[in-house]
């Protein structure tokens, strides 16, 4: 039996999270190790390990994740800007093999990242 990721366990309500948004396709919650004053993770409820496994059938779902980020940014009053980060693979910093988008804001975000 394959072990559930921490994100799947959050979706299944096996472990708690500070959920800020949920619908039938995705869940958004505050990161427990925030890298900015605002650090929210937006994840699909469908288990997709990374960007590499996104298929054409996921097109609407992935677009929906960005729509949710825009709604969250508006609700949170992120008028000065925000960053959306998606890590793909261990060398890029992906530590949970479940597609997730980081919404970061609340401080100056330097460029280049990393």
């Amino acid at each position: 039996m394959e072990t559930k990721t921490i994100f799947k366990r959050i979706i299944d309500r096996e472990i708690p999270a500070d959920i800020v948004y949920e619908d039938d396709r995705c869940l958004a919650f505050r990161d427990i190790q925030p890298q900015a004053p605002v650090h929210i993770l937006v994840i699909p409820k469908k288990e997709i390990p990374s960007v590499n496994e996104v298929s054409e059938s996921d097109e609407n779902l992935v677009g929906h994740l960005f729509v949710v980020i825009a709604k969250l940014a508006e609700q949170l009053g992120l008028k000065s800007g925000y960053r959306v980060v998606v890590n793909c693979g261990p060398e890029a910093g992906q530590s949970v093999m479940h597609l997730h988008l980081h919404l970061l804001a609340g401080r100056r975000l330097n460029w280049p990242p990393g």
Side-chain angles (χ1 to χ4, degrees), residues 44-93:
K45 288 184 175 178
K46 177 180 178 183
E47 293 180 89
I48 303 170
S50 75
V51 171
N52 287 337
E53 285 77 29
V54 171
S55 68
E56 285 187 32
S57 66
D58 299 316
E59 184 176 352
N60 287 334
L61 174 59
V62 173
H64 179 69
L65 300 177
F66 280 93
V67 170
V68 168
I69 284 174
K71 287 179 183 178
L72 287 169
E74 183 178 349
Q75 289 172 5
L76 295 168
L78 304 179
K79 293 178 178 31
S80 297
Y82 58 92
R83 182 172 291 166
V84 178
V85 176
V86 182
N87 300 318
C88 184
E91 285 193 25

Side-chain angles (χ1 to χ4, degrees), residues 6-22:
I6 189 169
F7 293 165
K8 178 62 173 158
R9 293 183 66 207
I10 290 170
I11 292 166
D12 291 345
R13 302 303 200 267
E14 294 174 5
I15 57 176
D18 184 1
I19 297 170
V20 296
Y21 179 86
E22 181 174 17

